[in-house]
Coordinates of all heavy atoms in Angstrom, one line a residue:
M1 N 49.6 29.6 158.6 CA 50.8 28.9 159.1 C 51.5 29.7 160.2 O 51.9 30.8 159.9 CB 51.7 28.6 158.0 CG 52.9 27.7 158.3 SD 53.6 27.0 156.9 CE 55.2 27.7 157.0
S2 N 51.7 29.1 161.4 CA 52.3 29.9 162.5 C 53.7 29.2 162.8 O 53.7 28.0 163.0 CB 51.4 29.8 163.7 OG 52.0 30.4 164.8
V3 N 54.7 30.1 162.9 CA 56.0 29.6 163.3 C 56.4 30.3 164.6 O 56.3 31.5 164.7 CB 57.0 29.8 162.1 CG1 58.4 29.4 162.5 CG2 56.6 29.1 160.9
E4 N 57.0 29.5 165.5 CA 57.5 30.1 166.7 C 59.0 30.0 166.8 O 59.6 29.0 166.4 CB 56.9 29.2 167.9 CG 57.5 29.7 169.2 CD 57.0 28.7 170.3 OE1 56.2 27.8 170.1 OE2 57.5 28.9 171.5
L5 N 59.6 31.1 167.1 CA 61.1 31.2 167.3 C 61.5 30.7 168.7 O 61.0 31.3 169.7 CB 61.6 32.6 167.0 CG 63.1 32.8 167.2 CD1 63.9 31.9 166.3 CD2 63.5 34.2 167.0
R6 N 62.2 29.7 168.8 CA 62.7 29.2 170.1 C 64.1 29.6 170.3 O 64.9 29.7 169.4 CB 62.7 27.6 170.1 CG 61.3 27.0 169.9 CD 61.3 25.5 170.0 NE 62.5 24.9 169.3 CZ 63.3 24.0 169.8 NH1 63.1 23.6 171.0 NH2 64.3 23.5 169.2
T7 N 64.5 29.8 171.6 CA 65.8 30.1 172.0 C 66.3 29.2 173.0 O 65.4 28.7 173.8 CB 66.0 31.6 172.5 OG1 65.1 31.8 173.6 CG2 65.7 32.6 171.4
P8 N 67.5 28.8 173.1 CA 68.0 27.9 174.2 C 67.8 28.5 175.5 O 68.0 29.7 175.7 CB 69.5 27.7 173.8 CG 69.8 28.5 172.7 CD 68.6 29.2 172.2
T9 N 67.6 27.7 176.5 CA 67.4 28.2 177.9 C 68.5 27.7 178.8 O 68.6 28.1 180.0 CB 66.0 27.9 178.5 OG1 65.9 26.5 178.4 CG2 64.9 28.5 177.7
A10 N 69.3 26.7 178.3 CA 70.3 26.1 179.1 C 71.4 25.7 178.2 O 71.2 25.3 177.0 CB 69.9 24.9 179.9
R11 N 72.7 25.7 178.7 CA 73.8 25.3 177.8 C 74.9 24.7 178.7 O 75.0 25.1 179.9 CB 74.3 26.4 177.0 CG 74.9 27.6 177.7 CD 75.2 28.7 176.7 NE 75.9 29.8 177.4 CZ 76.3 30.9 176.9 NH1 76.0 31.1 175.6 NH2 76.8 31.9 177.6
V12 N 75.7 23.8 178.2 CA 76.8 23.1 179.0 C 78.0 23.1 178.0 O 77.9 22.7 176.9 CB 76.4 21.7 179.4 CG1 77.6 21.0 180.1 CG2 75.2 21.7 180.3
C13 N 79.1 23.5 178.6 CA 80.4 23.4 177.8 C 80.8 22.0 177.6 O 80.9 21.2 178.6 CB 81.5 24.2 178.5 SG 83.1 24.1 177.6
E14 N 81.1 21.6 176.4 CA 81.5 20.2 176.1 C 82.9 19.9 176.6 O 83.3 18.8 176.6 CB 81.3 19.9 174.7 CG 79.8 19.9 174.3 CD 79.6 19.6 172.8 OE1 80.5 19.7 172.0 OE2 78.4 19.3 172.5
R15 N 83.7 21.0 176.8 CA 85.1 20.8 177.2 C 85.3 20.7 178.7 O 86.0 19.9 179.2 CB 85.9 21.9 176.7 CG 86.0 22.0 175.2 CD 86.9 23.1 174.7 NE 86.9 23.2 173.3 CZ 87.6 24.1 172.6 NH1 88.3 25.0 173.2 NH2 87.6 24.0 171.3
C16 N 84.6 21.6 179.5 CA 84.9 21.7 180.9 C 83.7 21.5 181.8 O 83.9 21.4 183.0 CB 85.6 23.1 181.3 SG 84.4 24.5 181.2
G17 N 82.5 21.4 181.2 CA 81.3 21.1 182.0 C 80.6 22.3 182.6 O 79.7 22.1 183.4
R18 N 81.1 23.5 182.3 CA 80.4 24.7 182.8 C 79.0 24.7 182.4 O 78.7 24.5 181.2 CB 81.1 25.9 182.3 CG 80.4 27.2 182.8 CD 81.1 28.4 182.1 NE 80.5 29.7 182.5 CZ 81.1 30.5 183.4 NH1 82.2 30.2 183.9 NH2 80.5 31.6 183.7
G19 N 78.1 24.9 183.3 CA 76.6 25.0 183.0 C 76.1 26.4 183.2 O 76.4 27.1 184.2
E20 N 75.2 26.8 182.3 CA 74.6 28.1 182.4 C 73.1 28.0 182.0 O 72.7 27.1 181.2 CB 75.3 29.1 181.4 CG 76.7 29.4 181.8 CD 77.4 30.5 180.9 OE1 76.8 30.8 179.9 OE2 78.4 31.0 181.3
Q21 N 72.3 28.9 182.6 CA 70.9 29.0 182.3 C 70.6 30.4 181.9 O 71.2 31.3 182.5 CB 70.1 28.5 183.5 CG 70.3 27.1 183.8 CD 69.5 26.7 185.1 OE1 69.3 27.4 186.0 NE2 69.1 25.4 185.1
W22 N 69.6 30.6 181.0 CA 69.2 31.9 180.6 C 68.3 32.5 181.7 O 67.3 31.9 182.1 CB 68.5 31.9 179.3 CG 68.1 33.3 178.8 CD1 66.9 33.8 178.8 CD2 69.0 34.3 178.3 NE1 66.9 35.1 178.3 CE2 68.2 35.4 178.0 CE3 70.4 34.3 178.1 CZ2 68.7 36.6 177.5 CZ3 70.9 35.5 177.5 CH2 70.1 36.6 177.2
D23 N 68.6 33.7 182.1 CA 67.8 34.4 183.1 C 66.9 35.5 182.4 O 67.5 36.4 181.9 CB 68.6 35.1 184.2 CG 67.8 35.7 185.3 OD1 66.9 36.5 185.0 OD2 68.2 35.4 186.5
E24 N 65.6 35.3 182.3 CA 64.7 36.2 181.6 C 64.7 37.6 182.2 O 64.7 38.6 181.5 CB 63.3 35.6 181.7 CG 63.0 34.4 180.8 CD 62.9 34.7 179.4 OE1 62.5 35.9 179.0 OE2 63.3 33.9 178.6
T25 N 64.8 37.7 183.6 CA 64.8 39.0 184.2 C 66.0 39.8 183.9 O 66.0 40.9 183.6 CB 64.7 38.8 185.8 OG1 63.6 37.9 186.1 CG2 64.6 40.1 186.5
L26 N 67.2 39.1 184.0 CA 68.5 39.8 183.7 C 68.8 39.9 182.2 O 69.7 40.7 181.8 CB 69.6 39.1 184.4 CG 69.6 39.1 186.0 CD1 70.7 38.3 186.5 CD2 69.6 40.5 186.5
E27 N 68.1 39.1 181.4 CA 68.4 38.9 180.0 C 69.9 38.6 179.8 O 70.6 39.2 179.0 CB 68.0 40.2 179.2 CG 66.5 40.4 179.3 CD 66.0 41.6 178.4 OE1 66.9 42.4 178.1 OE2 64.8 41.7 178.1
A28 N 70.4 37.6 180.5 CA 71.8 37.2 180.4 C 71.9 35.8 180.9 O 71.1 35.2 181.6 CB 72.6 38.1 181.3
W29 N 73.0 35.1 180.5 CA 73.3 33.8 180.9 C 73.9 33.9 182.3 O 74.7 34.7 182.7 CB 74.4 33.1 180.0 CG 73.8 32.8 178.7 CD1 74.0 33.5 177.5 CD2 73.0 31.7 178.3 NE1 73.3 32.9 176.5 CE2 72.7 31.7 176.9 CE3 72.5 30.6 179.0 CZ2 72.0 30.8 176.3 CZ3 71.7 29.7 178.4 CH2 71.5 29.8 177.0
Q30 N 73.4 32.9 183.2 CA 73.9 32.9 184.6 C 74.3 31.5 184.9 O 73.9 30.5 184.3 CB 72.7 33.2 185.6 CG 72.2 34.6 185.4 CD 73.2 35.7 185.7 OE1 73.7 35.7 186.8 NE2 73.5 36.5 184.8
L31 N 75.3 31.3 185.8 CA 75.8 30.0 186.2 C 74.7 29.1 186.7 O 73.9 29.5 187.5 CB 76.9 30.1 187.3 CG 78.2 30.6 186.8 CD1 79.1 30.8 188.0 CD2 78.9 29.6 185.9
A32 N 74.7 27.9 186.2 CA 73.7 26.9 186.7 C 74.2 26.3 188.0 O 75.4 26.3 188.3 CB 73.6 25.8 185.7
T33 N 73.3 25.9 188.8 CA 73.6 25.2 190.1 C 73.1 23.8 190.1 O 72.1 23.5 189.5 CB 73.1 26.0 191.3 OG1 71.7 26.1 191.2 CG2 73.7 27.4 191.4
E34 N 73.9 22.9 190.7 CA 73.5 21.5 190.8 C 73.8 21.1 192.2 O 75.0 21.2 192.6 CB 74.2 20.7 189.8 CG 73.7 19.2 189.7 CD 74.4 18.5 188.5 OE1 74.3 19.0 187.4 OE2 75.1 17.5 188.8
N35 N 72.8 20.6 192.9 CA 73.0 20.2 194.3 C 73.6 21.3 195.2 O 74.5 21.1 196.0 CB 73.8 19.0 194.5 CG 73.2 17.8 193.8 OD1 72.0 17.6 193.8 ND2 74.0 16.9 193.2
G36 N 73.2 22.6 194.9 CA 73.7 23.7 195.6 C 75.1 24.2 195.2 O 75.6 25.2 195.7
E37 N 75.7 23.6 194.2 CA 77.1 24.0 193.7 C 77.0 24.6 192.4 O 76.3 24.1 191.5 CB 78.0 22.8 193.7 CG 78.4 22.3 195.0 CD 79.5 21.2 194.9 OE1 80.4 21.3 194.1 OE2 79.4 20.3 195.7
K38 N 77.7 25.8 192.2 CA 77.7 26.4 190.9 C 78.6 25.6 189.9 O 79.6 25.1 190.3 CB 78.3 27.8 191.0 CG 77.4 28.8 191.8 CD 77.9 30.2 191.8 CE 77.0 31.1 192.5 NZ 77.5 32.5 192.5
Q39 N 78.1 25.4 188.7 CA 78.7 24.7 187.7 C 79.7 25.6 186.9 O 79.4 26.0 185.8 CB 77.7 24.0 186.8 CG 76.7 23.1 187.5 CD 77.4 22.0 188.2 OE1 78.0 21.2 187.6 NE2 77.3 22.0 189.5
I40 N 80.8 25.9 187.6 CA 81.7 27.0 187.0 C 82.6 26.4 185.9 O 83.1 27.2 185.1 CB 82.5 27.7 188.1 CG1 83.4 26.7 188.8 CG2 81.6 28.5 189.0 CD1 84.4 27.4 189.8
G41 N 82.9 25.1 186.0 CA 83.9 24.6 185.0 C 85.2 25.3 185.1 O 85.7 25.7 186.2
N42 N 85.9 25.4 184.0 CA 87.3 26.0 184.0 C 87.1 27.5 183.5 O 86.7 27.7 182.3 CB 88.2 25.3 183.0 CG 89.6 25.9 182.9 OD1 89.8 27.0 183.3 ND2 90.5 25.2 182.3
P43 N 87.4 28.5 184.3 CA 87.1 29.9 183.9 C 88.0 30.3 182.7 O 87.7 31.3 182.0 CB 87.5 30.7 185.1 CG 88.3 29.8 186.0 CD 87.9 28.4 185.7
H44 N 89.1 29.6 182.4 CA 90.0 29.9 181.3 C 89.7 29.1 180.0 O 90.4 29.3 179.0 CB 91.4 29.7 181.7 CG 91.8 30.5 182.9 ND1 91.9 31.9 182.9 CD2 92.1 30.1 184.2 CE1 92.2 32.3 184.2 NE2 92.3 31.2 185.0
C45 N 88.6 28.3 180.1 CA 88.3 27.5 178.9 C 87.6 28.4 177.8 O 86.9 29.3 178.1 CB 87.2 26.4 179.4 SG 86.7 25.4 178.0
L46 N 88.0 28.1 176.6 CA 87.2 28.7 175.4 C 86.0 27.8 175.2 O 86.1 26.8 174.5 CB 88.1 28.8 174.2 CG 89.4 29.6 174.4 CD1 90.2 29.6 173.1 CD2 89.0 31.1 174.6
H47 N 84.9 28.1 175.8 CA 83.8 27.2 175.9 C 83.2 26.8 174.6 O 83.1 27.6 173.6 CB 82.7 27.8 176.7 CG 83.1 28.2 178.1 ND1 83.6 27.3 179.0 CD2 83.2 29.4 178.7 CE1 83.9 27.9 180.2 NE2 83.7 29.2 180.0
E48 N 83.0 25.5 174.5 CA 82.4 24.8 173.3 C 81.0 24.4 173.8 O 80.8 23.4 174.4 CB 83.2 23.6 172.9 CG 82.7 22.9 171.6 CD 82.8 23.8 170.4 OE1 83.8 24.5 170.3 OE2 82.0 23.7 169.5
W49 N 80.0 25.3 173.5 CA 78.6 25.0 174.0 C 78.0 23.9 173.2 O 78.2 23.7 172.1 CB 77.8 26.3 174.0 CG 78.4 27.4 174.8 CD1 78.9 28.6 174.3 CD2 78.6 27.5 176.2 NE1 79.4 29.3 175.3 CE2 79.2 28.7 176.5 CE3 78.2 26.6 177.2 CZ2 79.5 29.1 177.8 CZ3 78.6 27.0 178.5 CH2 79.2 28.2 178.8
D50 N 77.1 23.2 173.9 CA 76.4 22.1 173.3 C 75.2 22.5 172.4 O 74.4 21.6 172.1 CB 75.9 21.1 174.4 CG 74.9 21.7 175.4 OD1 74.8 22.9 175.4 OD2 74.3 20.9 176.1
I51 N 75.2 23.7 172.1 CA 74.1 24.2 171.1 C 74.8 24.3 169.8 O 75.7 25.1 169.6 CB 73.6 25.6 171.6 CG1 73.0 25.5 173.0 CG2 72.6 26.1 170.6 CD1 72.7 26.8 173.6
N52 N 74.4 23.4 168.9 CA 75.0 23.3 167.6 C 74.0 23.3 166.4 O 72.9 23.7 166.6 CB 75.9 22.1 167.5 CG 75.2 20.9 167.9 OD1 74.0 20.7 167.5 ND2 75.8 20.0 168.6
G53 N 74.4 22.9 165.3 CA 73.6 22.8 164.1 C 72.4 21.9 164.3 O 71.4 22.0 163.5
A54 N 72.4 21.0 165.3 CA 71.2 20.2 165.5 C 70.1 20.9 166.2 O 69.0 20.4 166.2 CB 71.7 19.0 166.4
F55 N 70.4 22.1 166.8 CA 69.3 22.8 167.5 C 68.5 23.6 166.4 O 69.0 24.3 165.6 CB 69.9 23.9 168.4 CG 68.9 24.7 169.1 CD1 68.2 24.2 170.2 CD2 68.6 26.0 168.6 CE1 67.2 25.0 170.8 CE2 67.7 26.8 169.3 CZ 67.0 26.3 170.4
N56 N 67.2 23.3 166.4 CA 66.3 24.0 165.4 C 65.6 25.1 166.1 O 64.7 24.8 167.0 CB 65.3 22.9 164.9 CG 64.4 23.6 163.8 OD1 64.5 24.7 163.5 ND2 63.6 22.7 163.2
P57 N 65.9 26.4 165.8 CA 65.2 27.5 166.5 C 63.8 27.7 166.1 O 63.1 28.5 166.7 CB 66.1 28.7 166.1 CG 66.7 28.3 164.8 CD 66.9 26.8 164.8
F58 N 63.3 27.0 165.0 CA 61.9 27.3 164.6 C 61.0 26.1 164.9 O 61.4 24.9 164.6 CB 61.9 27.6 163.1 CG 62.7 28.8 162.7 CD1 63.9 28.7 162.2 CD2 62.1 30.1 163.0 CE1 64.7 29.9 161.9 CE2 62.9 31.2 162.7 CZ 64.1 31.1 162.2
R59 N 59.9 26.3 165.4 CA 58.9 25.3 165.7 C 57.6 25.7 165.1 O 57.2 26.9 165.2 CB 58.8 25.1 167.2 CG 57.7 24.0 167.6 CD 57.5 23.9 169.0 NE 58.4 24.7 169.8 CZ 58.6 24.6 171.1 NH1 57.9 23.7 171.8 NH2 59.4 25.4 171.8
G60 N 56.8 24.8 164.5 CA 55.5 25.2 164.0 C 55.2 24.4 162.8 O 56.0 23.5 162.3
S61 N 54.0 24.7 162.2 CA 53.6 24.0 161.0 C 54.0 24.7 159.8 O 54.2 25.8 159.7 CB 52.1 23.7 161.1 OG 51.4 25.0 161.3

């Protein structure tokens, strides 16, 4: 039985719309861009990311 650990690669704040993507090279979250614009949202927001209990980090049989 093989199980794979998954990690999120993108996240969006449910309060202000800030978008971030995981950068493998930097090993850090970076601002997402859409149509050439950075998805900065509100810099003073206490971000509520859309990754919650519904995200299952394990995949496999």
Side-chain angles (χ1 to χ4, degrees):
M1 185 162 118
S2 176
V3 177
E4 176 186 352
L5 177 61
R6 298 181 320 129
T7 56
T9 57
R11 63 187 185 183
V12 176
C13 177
E14 294 179 343
R15 294 181 182 180
C16 73
R18 177 187 181 102
E20 296 184 345
Q21 294 176 328
W22 183 255
D23 186 309
E24 289 284 331
T25 306
L26 297 174
E27 296 183 343
W29 290 102
Q30 298 295 304
L31 283 173
T33 58
E34 188 173 303
N35 297 325
E37 290 189 35
K38 291 184 177 181
Q39 303 300 297
I40 60 172
N42 179 347
H44 302 292
C45 179
L46 297 175
H47 303 298
E48 182 70 34
W49 301 113
D50 62 344
I51 301 167
N52 54 36
F55 178 80
N56 185 356
F58 300 102
R59 178 184 356 192
S61 52

